[in-house]
Amino acid sequence: MLSAAFVVLIALADFVASALLTDASQLKKDNYDFVIVGAGAAGNALASRLTENPSFSVLVIEAGVTDEGVVGIEVPFLAPTNTPMTAVSWNFTTVPQTSLDNRILTYPRGRVLGGSSSINFLVYTRGSNEEYDRWAELTGDPGWQWSNVEQFYLKSSRLVPPSSGRSTAGMVNPADHGFGPVEVSLPGFPSEIDNRIIDTAKQSNGLFPFSLDLQSGNALGVSLPQNAVGNGTRSSSATAYLRPVLNRSNLDVLIQTTVTRLINTSGAKEKPSFKKVEFAANSTAKRSTVTASKEVILSAGAIGTPQILMLSGVGDEKALKTLGINTLVNLPDVGQNLQDHPIMSNYFFVNSNNTFDNVLRNTSILNADLALWMENHTGLFSDGPANGVAFLRMPSNSSAIKEFGDPTAGPLSAHIELVFADGFAATTTPQPPTGQFLTINSAVVSPTSRGSVTLNSSDPFVFPNIDPNFFATTFDQQVMLQAVKFSRQFVQAQPWAGFVQNRTGPVGDAETDDDIIAASRQAIVTIFHPTSTARMSPVGANFGVVDPDLLLKGADGLRVVDASIFPIIPAAHTVAPTYIVAERAAELIKEAWS
Ligand SMILES: Cc1cc2nc3c(=O)[nH]c(=O)nc-3n(C[C@H](O)[C@H](O)[C@H](O)COP(=O)(O)OP(=O)(O)OC[C@H]3O[C@@H](n4cnc5c(N)ncnc54)[C@H](O)[C@@H]3O)c2cc1C
Ligand SMILES: *[C@@H]1O[C@H](CO)[C@@H](O)[C@H](O)[C@H]1NC(C)=O
Ligand SMILES: *[C@@H]1O[C@H](CO)[C@@H](O)[C@H](O)[C@H]1NC(C)=O
Ligand SMILES: *[C@@H]1O[C@H](CO)[C@@H](O)[C@H](O)[C@H]1NC(C)=O
Ligand SMILES: *[C@@H]1O[C@H](CO)[C@@H](O)[C@H](O)[C@H]1NC(C)=O
Ligand SMILES: *[C@@H]1O[C@H](CO)[C@@H](O)[C@H](O)[C@H]1NC(C)=O
Ligand SMILES: *[C@@H]1O[C@H](CO)[C@@H](O)[C@H](O)[C@H]1NC(C)=O
Ligand SMILES: *[C@@H]1O[C@H](CO)[C@@H](O)[C@H](O)[C@H]1NC(C)=O
Ligand SMILES: *[C@@H]1O[C@H](CO)[C@@H](O)[C@H](O)[C@H]1NC(C)=O
Ligand SMILES: *[C@@H]1O[C@H](CO)[C@@H](O)[C@H](O)[C@H]1NC(C)=O
Ligand SMILES: *[C@@H]1O[C@H](CO)[C@@H](O)[C@H](O)[C@H]1NC(C)=O
Ligand SMILES: *[C@@H]1O[C@H](CO)[C@@H](O)[C@H](O)[C@H]1NC(C)=O
């Protein structure tokens, strides 16, 4: 018996080693049908779907490390501990933000199996149907409209019960959910603010409408958060899509390896073709290459993808020339149109001893919560850090909309998001040593500011210049101002009486509109949703980076599949839309090579 068990263990160890490679020398071949760059949200979904076809061989190359056994990744409540400077993140910073008093912001992305889906804050929202109908309009491809991509939403995720097993009837609509591998659940352990949030919505006469389920197609309203959590543990593209199929013999995954550029493999007088991928373990290691006989697919995310394109000679010819890079495809839009949601914290003192403030201050409480999570994945730590979300529109008489127009996808899509937390969620202000707090984070989810990712160097190991250009438009400033006003108005409702005390923090102290906008410049950070740096545009358009089938314009055989291809940022958290993109891409690719 003992020796049989021993043999099984050895076999398992061997299998793990052969599926997850850590060094290029372990590759058994130098040619695959498909080479996917980046094992993030999109890359893993794609790898999983493509290898369903046993005749396709797939290699995934990922810069980061394995996600397995990283407690900060697995434990939902600890999600914020993975950023910014950790072994599982790209430690990016922005260039000075001119509309934020020249502050430099940290700008982390996941650098680990699962990419940013392994370190994100778990909130799961697909956005309104209107978002996808607008993508179809902007790209001229009806394949992106909701009536067609709904199937991909349903294929990507499914609703599961929370780890506590409590009933969630009346808090979610199971009919709005699918049958895919990513597990989505409501918090299992209600906080003291849950009922206050929901009751405020239900009593607000439609000012803050209650939403049974934000995945219904109408993305407006106040709701409990739906998190990418199953059985009290994070559900990422690594756990949901990749790990269950790692034993497929047609899939290799090479981690701890950075792709440095793509190499032109076309014949003379043909369009450039990028079927050779160059990579290295680090800046001093030897570079190696691998080729794809069918396609190379860039899934390196909204920062990594444009960086690799530019390093490969795809981008704005003038800008590339100054760095000594020979342009193969002149596409000035590469790295442009960076969009993200600015967010900041509104703090209130509360009359309570039950917020999570003491958990963060007192190691013995923290360790007890962690021990409970370790025991059976229950308790505070089995839920994400958010306790409620509200997606709201500007008031219908808003002068900002009269003056600047309405940038949303339609009347069921938000300008503003509020995210509630039962404690002090530290963004720019550290948690005070005493006191109990409510945080309402306010975000602009219909931004009109546009930024960019540009190369700082032709060295692939030098981080690019990242400029989200937050708060650059008067419109975005007016939306944030309204978001602050809504957050204050929200807690004036009866359910908060005796609980919420005075406002505090830099934004809380601001009274006039001008003061609030000035304080915002000091308080805004990223919600971590960069998109659109390799945006889709119609076939034949003189702007954009990829066609609606995600193939790079002006080249052969290179597809981009990740959040960089969004034609415009949705008023939603971005991981669910990224899975939808990856699921549709998998179908397009299977069709192209069937
Ligand atoms: C801290 C944080 C919090 C967030 N919170 C939420 C949230 O609550 N809800 C939500 O919906 N979304 C959230 N997001 C955003 C969401 O996770 C992303 O939109 C989504 O993961 C994007 O998927 P992607 O495939 O485009 O890129 P990613 O998931 O970032 O994957 C890109 C992968 O490519 C790899 N890579 C990059 N360059 C190279 C290279 N040169 N060579 C090899 N590999 C490379 C990266 O290491 C990474 O693994 C958050 C993100 C972060 C960082
Ligand atoms: C980020 O910083 C951490 C801690 O200093 C380090 O371990 C990690 O390697 C860094 N990541 C990158 C991509 O530089
Ligand atoms: C988890 O463990 C705790 C502490 O032992 C116990 O009270 C609780 O009932 C358990 N929950 C589940 C779902 O097993
Ligand atoms: C991989 O593992 C799963 C689950 O253990 C099993 O069902 C499947 O048959 C295995 N596939 C291969 C190719 O070994
Ligand atoms: C791509 O490589 C081929 C073969 O070397 C070459 O003939 C062609 O000119 C290259 N394309 C560009 C745009 O440089
Ligand atoms: C770079 O990678 C090589 C090859 O894997 C390795 O031997 C070397 O130790 C690495 N250097 C650093 C600084 O990590
Ligand atoms: C919080 O605890 C303190 C000390 O035990 C007590 O005096 C106070 O009444 C408690 N506050 C609330 C709201 O329960
Ligand atoms: C931390 O919490 C424990 C358990 O509730 C308590 O006994 C202890 O006094 C607290 N420590 C401090 C410094 O407040
Ligand atoms: C949930 O996690 C606990 C703790 O690891 C485990 O005992 C239990 O079997 C898991 N349940 C399911 C349904 O996976
Ligand atoms: C919009 O309507 C609200 C409520 O009626 C009112 O308080 C506000 O002043 C109006 N704003 C503008 C710009 O007209
Ligand atoms: C590279 O970054 C440094 C520091 O941010 C900046 O001073 C320099 O101008 C940048 N160079 C390019 C070519 O963008
Ligand atoms: C706000 O409330 C806190 C806690 O009750 C109190 O310590 C503080 O003095 C108050 N600040 C103002 C400006 O009222």
Side-chain angles (χ1 to χ4, degrees):
M1 278 307 285
L2 190 80
S3 61
F6 192 58
V7 168
V8 169
L9 273 179
I10 294 206
L12 270 177
D14 190 37
F15 138 69
V16 169
S18 68
L20 212 54
L21 315 173
T22 52
D23 191 281
S25 63
Q26 297 159 346
L27 287 175
K28 285 181 214 80
K29 50 186 185 179
D30 58 10
N31 181 276
Y32 291 78
D33 289 319
F34 299 96
V35 178
I36 300 176
V37 180
N44 287 339
L46 200 55
S48 168
R49 292 303 180 197
L50 292 182
T51 53
E52 283 171 351
N53 181 339
S55 70
F56 287 165
S57 64
V58 174
L59 171 67
V60 185
I61 305 180
E62 165 58 43
V65 293
T66 179
D67 60 320
E68 214 163 23
V70 181
V71 171
I73 287 178
E74 293 176 346
V75 180
F77 187 79
L78 296 181
T81 64
N82 297 306
T83 48
M85 298 288 177
T86 69
V88 294
S89 72
W90 294 90
N91 305 325
F92 296 138
T93 54
T94 68
V95 302
Q97 293 297 283
T98 49
S99 302
L100 301 180
D101 299 338
N102 279 327
R103 287 164 53 234
I104 291 173
L105 311 182
T106 59
Y107 210 74
R109 313 303 303 150
R111 185 172 179 265
V112 59
L113 277 184
S116 299
S117 80
S118 285
I119 66 164
N120 74 19
F121 289 9
L122 302 154
V123 178
Y124 205 77
T125 57
R126 69 160 173 88
S128 68
N129 296 358
E130 297 162 348
E131 301 286 358
Y132 303 90
D133 293 345
R134 172 162 64 170
W135 283 10
E137 251 171 63
L138 291 172
T139 61
D141 177 3
W144 287 108
Q145 70 200 17
W146 177 254
S147 60
N148 188 52
V149 299
E150 177 178 20
Q151 58 183 312
F152 304 117
Y153 164 69
L154 297 173
K155 268 182 99 163
S156 59
S157 60
R158 70 183 194 279
L159 185 67
V160 299
S163 66
S164 64
R166 74 160 169 152
S167 164
T168 52
M171 303 175 206
V172 62
N173 184 3
D176 293 331
H177 294 264
F179 47 85
V182 177
E183 296 169 311
V184 175
S185 59
L186 291 185
F189 295 83
S191 81
E192 62 192 323
I193 63 173
D194 294 21
N195 286 339
R196 290 186 167 94
I197 295 168
I198 298 307
D199 291 349
T200 301
K202 288 182 171 168
Q203 296 167 16
S204 73
N205 245 325
L207 178 61
F208 303 117
F210 170 71
S211 168
L212 175 62
D213 202 315
L214 290 167
Q215 329 279 15
S216 68
N218 173 352
L220 297 178
V222 180
S223 198
L224 294 182
Q226 296 184 9
N227 291 319
V229 169
N231 194 24
T233 306
R234 173 188 297 271
S235 184
S236 68
S237 74
T239 68
Y241 275 109
L242 188 70
R243 209 164 304 281
V245 305
L246 258 185
N247 62 348
R248 285 183 183 157
S249 57
N250 58 343
L251 173 64
D252 282 340
V253 180
L254 174 61
I255 60 174
Q256 295 164 218
T257 302
T258 301
V259 167
T260 49
R261 63 175 176 144
L262 311 179
I263 295 170
N264 167 29
T265 48
S266 75
K269 294 188 189 157
E270 287 173 3
K271 279 199 274 186
S273 173
F274 295 93
K275 294 197 175 167
K276 189 180 279 193
V277 179
E278 183 193 76
F279 55 87
N282 54 52
S283 61
T284 53
K286 175 172 109 10
R287 306 234 171 136
S288 313
T289 60
V290 64
T291 56
S293 48
K294 293 189 166 64
E295 292 184 13
V296 170
I297 299 153
L298 277 182
S299 297
I303 310 301
T305 284
Q307 183 190 18
I308 294 168
L309 285 172
M310 292 184 279
L311 289 169
S312 314
V314 181
D316 180 57
E317 186 158 23
K318 271 185 264 131
L320 294 181
K321 198 169 181 185
T322 62
L323 290 167
I325 297 172
N326 178 36
T327 298
L328 276 74
V329 189
N330 181 21
L331 283 175
D333 251 8
V334 173
Q336 299 301 306
N337 294 297
L338 173 61
Q339 296 165 48
D340 194 355
H341 299 144
I343 189 166
M344 66 183 192
S345 298
N346 301 270
Y347 301 111
F348 304 83
F349 278 103
V350 297
N351 181 27
S352 162
N353 291 326
N354 298 319
T355 67
F356 62 64
D357 287 296
N358 288 344
V359 179
L360 302 184
R361 290 185 188 122
N362 181 327
T363 358
S364 59
I365 303 180
L366 189 137
N367 285 337
D369 279 317
L370 189 56
L372 181 55
W373 185 86
M374 295 284 181
E375 182 178 323
N376 59 16
H377 291 182
T378 64
L380 179 69
F381 281 24
S382 66
D383 291 334
N387 299 105
V389 292
F391 286 89
L392 306 169
R393 288 194 50 91
M394 293 288 275
S396 52
N397 63 354
S398 148
S399 51
I401 292 196
K402 272 199 202 98
E403 190 176 347
F404 301 104
D406 181 2
T408 63
L412 304 180
S413 310
H415 298 103
I416 290 167
E417 182 184 4
L418 304 179
V419 184
F420 299 78
D422 185 26
F424 196 96
T427 41
T428 52
T429 310
Q431 185 198 31
T434 60
Q436 305 271 315
F437 301 91
L438 164 73
T439 306
I440 305 181
N441 289 302
S442 52
V444 177
V445 291
S446 61
T448 57
S449 302
R450 297 290 181 264
S452 64
V453 176
T454 55
L455 287 186
N456 188 272
S457 162
S458 58
D459 178 349
F461 292 91
V462 173
F463 289 168
N465 305 319
I466 302 172
D467 182 8
N469 199 21
F470 282 131
F471 222 45
T473 63
T474 308
F475 182 80
D476 291 4
Q477 295 160 14
Q478 291 298 311
V479 175
M480 188 59 99
L481 174 63
Q482 182 61 51
V484 171
K485 291 181 174 176
F486 276 153
S487 74
R488 294 175 179 186
Q489 197 177 354
F490 198 91
V491 295
Q492 257 149 38
Q494 188 278 329
W496 304 90
F499 182 77
V500 164
Q501 312 289 296
N502 51 13
R503 300 193 298 262
T504 183
V507 180
D509 291 340
E511 295 297 341
T512 67
D513 290 2
D514 286 349
D515 286 351
I516 292 172
I517 290 173
S520 304
R521 296 185 196 279
Q522 285 290 319
I524 283 172
V525 295
T526 172
I527 198 175
F528 313 107
H529 292 167
T531 72
S532 309
T533 48
R535 66 176 162 156
M536 284 190 276
S537 68
V539 175
N542 63 356
F543 62 93
V545 175
V546 296
D547 280 342
D549 58 5
L550 308 179
L551 284 165
L552 186 75
K553 291 176 184 288
D556 263 334
L558 177 60
R559 241 179 261 255
V560 180
V561 180
D562 59 27
S564 66
I565 64 90
F566 294 6
I568 188 167
I569 193 170
H573 294 254
T574 41
V575 89
T578 303
Y579 288 135
I580 290 172
V581 164
E583 287 281 7
R584 176 156 194 246
E587 185 168 281
L588 291 171
I589 294 167
K590 283 176 170 176
E591 274 168 12
W593 296 99
S594 68

